[in-house]
Amino acid sequence: QEDSIKKIIGSRIGEAKVEAVTKTPYLDLFEVRTNDGNIVYTDAKAQYIFSGRILDAKTSKDYTQARLD
C-alpha cells in the first residue's frame, strides 16, 4: 500500500520527491515525507492530501513536529 501511495502522491506534489510513506497510528492516515523536509498526510487511496500539523486535542502534542525532530 505504501508503494502505491508513493507513486500516486509523487505525481501530484510538483517539484518535491517522496522519500518515504509510513502508516500512522491515527485516523488511518499515511505520512508522506518529501526530500524538501516536509511532511504531508494522505488517506489509504491517496485521494486526499492534507498539508499541516497533526495535533492531539487533549494534550496539544504536535505529532508532526515530533516526526520532524
Side-chain angles (χ1 to χ4, degrees), residues 7-68:
K7 183 177 179 181
I8 294 168
I9 297 298
S11 70
R12 296 182 182 164
I13 60 171
E15 296 290 320
K17 303 290 183 210
V18 175
E19 288 188 338
V21 175
T22 308
K23 176 83 170 86
T24 71
Y26 34 85
L27 302 174
D28 292 325
L29 294 177
F30 287 81
E31 173 189 286
V32 180
R33 285 184 167 266
T34 60
N35 67 333
D36 59 2
N38 288 314
I39 293 176
V40 296
Y41 299 91
T42 190
D43 60 309
K45 294 182 180 180
Q47 185 174 0
Y48 301 98
I49 298 172
F50 305 92
S51 177
R53 305 241 178 242
I54 301 292
L55 303 173
D56 185 307
K58 287 184 181 179
T59 66
S60 298
K61 179 177 179 175
D62 185 335
Y63 288 106
T64 302
Q65 188 60 50
R67 295 288 291 152
L68 288 169

